[in-house]
Amino acid sequence: LAKTTQPISMDSYEGQEVNITCSHNNIATNDYITWYQQFPSQGPRFIIQGYKTKVTNEVASLFIPADRKSSTLSLPRVSLSDTAVYYCLVGDHAGNNRKLIWGLGTSLAVNP
Amino acid sequence: GAVVSQHPSWVICKSGTSVKIECRSLDFQATTMFWYRQFPKQSLMLMATSNEGSKATYEQGVEKDKFLINHASLTLSTLTVTSAHPEDSSFYICSALAQTQYFGPGTRLLVL
């Protein structure tokens, strides 16, 4: 299972764009990259998932370079309610090995 | 879509009693569900993988006789903490597998 490395914490201000980069040097061919958001005392919430290039949805964008050894979650114009822990995970969701290894995540603090 | 519920959201029990936590996928069927435990300021720890109609697969170090898992239908998995002790106090989170894992809101267990 691929391990991921991401910054422990980040600070930002309301209205700014936030980019959180995750390293996953040992990503396997079948692995997808998934990002989750977690607020205190709540279950993680799915944000976005991708395999390569760029994926965009209504809340975020995910940039994946050609070698797939890293990925960047981009949150446009953050607000105070985006203060949370963000987890980057890699894994083969459709295959037999569906387990995901959770790191410590990135604690994002959005300031007024 | 892809909503997962948990019941109860919190529970307080006496040491030595058993507690059952339910995890339901509300708008989709899930052959596979996962149970996690999360301690304060820590990441999610996978406890077991629950497969509909078969025995659960437990992670190393997780006692299967203490944490009983039953996945009786495609929309329901239950986790029973038997003979609970104070060290079992934690935040228990389930997820259901669709194209990715969708998480429940979690259950806070406090054993006195």
Side-chain angles (χ1 to χ4, degrees), chain B residues 2 9 18 20 23 37 43 48 51 54-55 69 71 73 91 93 97 104-105 108:
Chain B
S9 57
S18 294
K20 180 185 283 189
C23 177
R37 181 166 52 180
S43 190
N51 296 295
S54 64
K55 291 183 179 180
I69 292 173
H71 194 154
S73 77
F91 190 54
I93 313 171
L97 182 65
R108 176 76 58 191

PDB file of all heavy atoms in Angstrom, chain B residues 2 9 18 20 23 37 43 48 51 54-55 69 71 73 91 93 97 104-105 108:
ATOM      1  N   ALA B   2     -24.985   8.686  -1.977  1.00  0.00           N
ATOM      2  CA  ALA B   2     -23.902   8.095  -1.204  1.00  0.00           C
ATOM      3  C   ALA B   2     -23.904   8.569   0.246  1.00  0.00           C
ATOM      4  O   ALA B   2     -22.909   9.094   0.735  1.00  0.00           O
ATOM      5  CB  ALA B   2     -22.551   8.360  -1.851  1.00  0.00           C
ATOM      6  N   SER B   9     -25.260   8.130  17.677  1.00  0.00           N
ATOM      7  CA  SER B   9     -24.189   9.095  17.431  1.00  0.00           C
ATOM      8  C   SER B   9     -23.267   9.184  18.638  1.00  0.00           C
ATOM      9  O   SER B   9     -22.088   9.536  18.492  1.00  0.00           O
ATOM     10  CB  SER B   9     -24.776  10.469  17.101  1.00  0.00           C
ATOM     11  OG  SER B   9     -25.628  10.894  18.156  1.00  0.00           O
ATOM     12  N   SER B  18     -22.044  -4.460  26.826  1.00  0.00           N
ATOM     13  CA  SER B  18     -21.803  -4.506  25.382  1.00  0.00           C
ATOM     14  C   SER B  18     -22.559  -3.391  24.688  1.00  0.00           C
ATOM     15  O   SER B  18     -23.656  -3.013  25.106  1.00  0.00           O
ATOM     16  CB  SER B  18     -22.241  -5.865  24.820  1.00  0.00           C
ATOM     17  OG  SER B  18     -21.430  -6.891  25.331  1.00  0.00           O
ATOM     18  N   LYS B  20     -23.753  -1.936  20.781  1.00  0.00           N
ATOM     19  CA  LYS B  20     -23.880  -2.213  19.349  1.00  0.00           C
ATOM     20  C   LYS B  20     -23.996  -0.902  18.583  1.00  0.00           C
ATOM     21  O   LYS B  20     -24.801  -0.032  18.930  1.00  0.00           O
ATOM     22  CB  LYS B  20     -25.106  -3.068  19.056  1.00  0.00           C
ATOM     23  CG  LYS B  20     -25.283  -3.380  17.561  1.00  0.00           C
ATOM     24  CD  LYS B  20     -26.562  -4.125  17.267  1.00  0.00           C
ATOM     25  CE  LYS B  20     -26.471  -5.569  17.635  1.00  0.00           C
ATOM     26  NZ  LYS B  20     -27.641  -6.357  17.158  1.00  0.00           N
ATOM     27  N   CYS B  23     -24.331   0.706  11.154  1.00  0.00           N
ATOM     28  CA  CYS B  23     -23.876   1.493  10.006  1.00  0.00           C
ATOM     29  C   CYS B  23     -24.748   1.134   8.819  1.00  0.00           C
ATOM     30  O   CYS B  23     -24.846  -0.041   8.449  1.00  0.00           O
ATOM     31  CB  CYS B  23     -22.417   1.173   9.706  1.00  0.00           C
ATOM     32  SG  CYS B  23     -21.747   2.014   8.249  1.00  0.00           S
ATOM     33  N   ARG B  37     -11.443   3.255  13.973  1.00  0.00           N
ATOM     34  CA  ARG B  37     -11.443   3.857  15.302  1.00  0.00           C
ATOM     35  C   ARG B  37     -10.502   5.056  15.239  1.00  0.00           C
ATOM     36  O   ARG B  37      -9.456   5.004  14.567  1.00  0.00           O
ATOM     37  CB  ARG B  37     -10.960   2.842  16.334  1.00  0.00           C
ATOM     38  CG  ARG B  37     -10.946   3.341  17.767  1.00  0.00           C
ATOM     39  CD  ARG B  37     -10.799   2.194  18.742  1.00  0.00           C
ATOM     40  NE  ARG B  37      -9.694   1.328  18.443  1.00  0.00           N
ATOM     41  CZ  ARG B  37      -9.388   0.263  19.156  1.00  0.00           C
ATOM     42  NH1 ARG B  37     -10.125  -0.074  20.206  1.00  0.00           N
ATOM     43  NH2 ARG B  37      -8.357  -0.477  18.834  1.00  0.00           N
ATOM     44  N   SER B  43      -5.075   9.941  13.631  1.00  0.00           N
ATOM     45  CA  SER B  43      -5.708   9.610  12.359  1.00  0.00           C
ATOM     46  C   SER B  43      -6.641   8.408  12.518  1.00  0.00           C
ATOM     47  O   SER B  43      -6.745   7.835  13.594  1.00  0.00           O
ATOM     48  CB  SER B  43      -4.632   9.309  11.326  1.00  0.00           C
ATOM     49  OG  SER B  43      -5.210   9.203  10.052  1.00  0.00           O
ATOM     50  N   ALA B  48     -11.410  -3.286  10.833  1.00  0.00           N
ATOM     51  CA  ALA B  48     -11.843  -4.496  10.137  1.00  0.00           C
ATOM     52  C   ALA B  48     -12.582  -4.141   8.855  1.00  0.00           C
ATOM     53  O   ALA B  48     -13.106  -3.038   8.701  1.00  0.00           O
ATOM     54  CB  ALA B  48     -12.745  -5.328  11.038  1.00  0.00           C
ATOM     55  N   ASN B  51     -17.669  -7.779   5.034  1.00  0.00           N
ATOM     56  CA  ASN B  51     -18.195  -8.199   3.740  1.00  0.00           C
ATOM     57  C   ASN B  51     -19.556  -8.866   3.918  1.00  0.00           C
ATOM     58  O   ASN B  51     -19.710  -9.751   4.761  1.00  0.00           O
ATOM     59  CB  ASN B  51     -17.239  -9.173   3.059  1.00  0.00           C
ATOM     60  CG  ASN B  51     -15.908  -8.533   2.738  1.00  0.00           C
ATOM     61  OD1 ASN B  51     -15.831  -7.614   1.936  1.00  0.00           O
ATOM     62  ND2 ASN B  51     -14.853  -9.006   3.374  1.00  0.00           N
ATOM     63  N   SER B  54     -20.363 -12.810   4.652  1.00  0.00           N
ATOM     64  CA  SER B  54     -19.182 -13.584   5.040  1.00  0.00           C
ATOM     65  C   SER B  54     -18.545 -12.980   6.286  1.00  0.00           C
ATOM     66  O   SER B  54     -18.962 -11.916   6.758  1.00  0.00           O
ATOM     67  CB  SER B  54     -18.167 -13.628   3.898  1.00  0.00           C
ATOM     68  OG  SER B  54     -17.682 -12.343   3.612  1.00  0.00           O
ATOM     69  N   LYS B  55     -17.539 -13.672   6.784  1.00  0.00           N
ATOM     70  CA  LYS B  55     -16.890 -13.189   8.009  1.00  0.00           C
ATOM     71  C   LYS B  55     -16.064 -11.943   7.739  1.00  0.00           C
ATOM     72  O   LYS B  55     -15.482 -11.775   6.663  1.00  0.00           O
ATOM     73  CB  LYS B  55     -15.989 -14.286   8.578  1.00  0.00           C
ATOM     74  CG  LYS B  55     -16.743 -15.482   9.128  1.00  0.00           C
ATOM     75  CD  LYS B  55     -15.762 -16.495   9.736  1.00  0.00           C
ATOM     76  CE  LYS B  55     -16.517 -17.681  10.324  1.00  0.00           C
ATOM     77  NZ  LYS B  55     -15.587 -18.671  10.929  1.00  0.00           N
ATOM     78  N   ILE B  69     -18.446  -8.139  14.355  1.00  0.00           N
ATOM     79  CA  ILE B  69     -18.983  -7.451  13.184  1.00  0.00           C
ATOM     80  C   ILE B  69     -19.925  -8.383  12.444  1.00  0.00           C
ATOM     81  O   ILE B  69     -19.598  -9.539  12.177  1.00  0.00           O
ATOM     82  CB  ILE B  69     -17.852  -6.983  12.255  1.00  0.00           C
ATOM     83  CG1 ILE B  69     -17.054  -5.867  12.940  1.00  0.00           C
ATOM     84  CG2 ILE B  69     -18.405  -6.498  10.920  1.00  0.00           C
ATOM     85  CD1 ILE B  69     -15.815  -5.439  12.191  1.00  0.00           C
ATOM     86  N   HIS B  71     -22.426  -8.297   8.990  1.00  0.00           N
ATOM     87  CA  HIS B  71     -22.844  -7.574   7.774  1.00  0.00           C
ATOM     88  C   HIS B  71     -23.948  -8.394   7.127  1.00  0.00           C
ATOM     89  O   HIS B  71     -23.724  -9.129   6.172  1.00  0.00           O
ATOM     90  CB  HIS B  71     -21.631  -7.426   6.846  1.00  0.00           C
ATOM     91  CG  HIS B  71     -21.821  -6.433   5.748  1.00  0.00           C
ATOM     92  ND1 HIS B  71     -20.751  -5.784   5.165  1.00  0.00           N
ATOM     93  CD2 HIS B  71     -22.917  -5.976   5.135  1.00  0.00           C
ATOM     94  CE1 HIS B  71     -21.194  -4.979   4.222  1.00  0.00           C
ATOM     95  NE2 HIS B  71     -22.507  -5.072   4.186  1.00  0.00           N
ATOM     96  N   SER B  73     -26.820  -7.571   5.610  1.00  0.00           N
ATOM     97  CA  SER B  73     -27.479  -7.177   4.367  1.00  0.00           C
ATOM     98  C   SER B  73     -26.580  -6.205   3.611  1.00  0.00           C
ATOM     99  O   SER B  73     -25.541  -5.785   4.121  1.00  0.00           O
ATOM    100  CB  SER B  73     -28.824  -6.509   4.655  1.00  0.00           C
ATOM    101  OG  SER B  73     -28.638  -5.177   5.110  1.00  0.00           O
ATOM    102  N   PHE B  91     -13.787   7.157  19.174  1.00  0.00           N
ATOM    103  CA  PHE B  91     -14.707   7.588  18.116  1.00  0.00           C
ATOM    104  C   PHE B  91     -14.679   6.501  17.050  1.00  0.00           C
ATOM    105  O   PHE B  91     -13.620   6.223  16.475  1.00  0.00           O
ATOM    106  CB  PHE B  91     -14.240   8.939  17.565  1.00  0.00           C
ATOM    107  CG  PHE B  91     -15.208   9.616  16.642  1.00  0.00           C
ATOM    108  CD1 PHE B  91     -16.519   9.843  17.024  1.00  0.00           C
ATOM    109  CD2 PHE B  91     -14.799  10.057  15.389  1.00  0.00           C
ATOM    110  CE1 PHE B  91     -17.412  10.490  16.174  1.00  0.00           C
ATOM    111  CE2 PHE B  91     -15.687  10.708  14.534  1.00  0.00           C
ATOM    112  CZ  PHE B  91     -16.995  10.914  14.925  1.00  0.00           C
ATOM    113  N   ILE B  93     -15.966   4.987  13.484  1.00  0.00           N
ATOM    114  CA  ILE B  93     -16.492   5.470  12.209  1.00  0.00           C
ATOM    115  C   ILE B  93     -16.587   4.309  11.233  1.00  0.00           C
ATOM    116  O   ILE B  93     -15.663   3.490  11.151  1.00  0.00           O
ATOM    117  CB  ILE B  93     -15.573   6.549  11.580  1.00  0.00           C
ATOM    118  CG1 ILE B  93     -15.153   7.603  12.607  1.00  0.00           C
ATOM    119  CG2 ILE B  93     -16.258   7.220  10.389  1.00  0.00           C
ATOM    120  CD1 ILE B  93     -14.085   8.559  12.109  1.00  0.00           C
ATOM    121  N   LEU B  97     -18.364   1.091   0.819  1.00  0.00           N
ATOM    122  CA  LEU B  97     -17.608   1.205  -0.423  1.00  0.00           C
ATOM    123  C   LEU B  97     -18.523   1.270  -1.627  1.00  0.00           C
ATOM    124  O   LEU B  97     -19.317   0.368  -1.863  1.00  0.00           O
ATOM    125  CB  LEU B  97     -16.652   0.012  -0.559  1.00  0.00           C
ATOM    126  CG  LEU B  97     -15.747   0.010  -1.784  1.00  0.00           C
ATOM    127  CD1 LEU B  97     -14.761   1.178  -1.724  1.00  0.00           C
ATOM    128  CD2 LEU B  97     -14.985  -1.310  -1.888  1.00  0.00           C
ATOM    129  N   GLY B 104     -19.706   7.333   7.495  1.00  0.00           N
ATOM    130  CA  GLY B 104     -20.767   7.743   8.387  1.00  0.00           C
ATOM    131  C   GLY B 104     -20.296   8.885   9.266  1.00  0.00           C
ATOM    132  O   GLY B 104     -19.120   9.246   9.262  1.00  0.00           O
ATOM    133  N   PRO B 105     -21.215   9.437  10.055  1.00  0.00           N
ATOM    134  CA  PRO B 105     -20.873  10.586  10.900  1.00  0.00           C
ATOM    135  C   PRO B 105     -20.095  10.218  12.150  1.00  0.00           C
ATOM    136  O   PRO B 105     -19.592  11.102  12.849  1.00  0.00           O
ATOM    137  CB  PRO B 105     -22.241  11.164  11.267  1.00  0.00           C
ATOM    138  CG  PRO B 105     -23.160   9.990  11.195  1.00  0.00           C
ATOM    139  CD  PRO B 105     -22.641   9.113  10.091  1.00  0.00           C
ATOM    140  N   ARG B 108     -19.509   8.294  19.074  1.00  0.00           N
ATOM    141  CA  ARG B 108     -18.619   8.554  20.204  1.00  0.00           C
ATOM    142  C   ARG B 108     -18.996   7.605  21.322  1.00  0.00           C
ATOM    143  O   ARG B 108     -20.121   7.613  21.795  1.00  0.00           O
ATOM    144  CB  ARG B 108     -18.778  10.001  20.672  1.00  0.00           C
ATOM    145  CG  ARG B 108     -17.972  10.358  21.902  1.00  0.00           C
ATOM    146  CD  ARG B 108     -16.510  10.551  21.610  1.00  0.00           C
ATOM    147  NE  ARG B 108     -16.256  11.586  20.623  1.00  0.00           N
ATOM    148  CZ  ARG B 108     -15.071  11.783  20.058  1.00  0.00           C
ATOM    149  NH1 ARG B 108     -14.057  11.009  20.363  1.00  0.00           N
ATOM    150  NH2 ARG B 108     -14.905  12.751  19.174  1.00  0.00           N
TER     151      ARG B 108
END
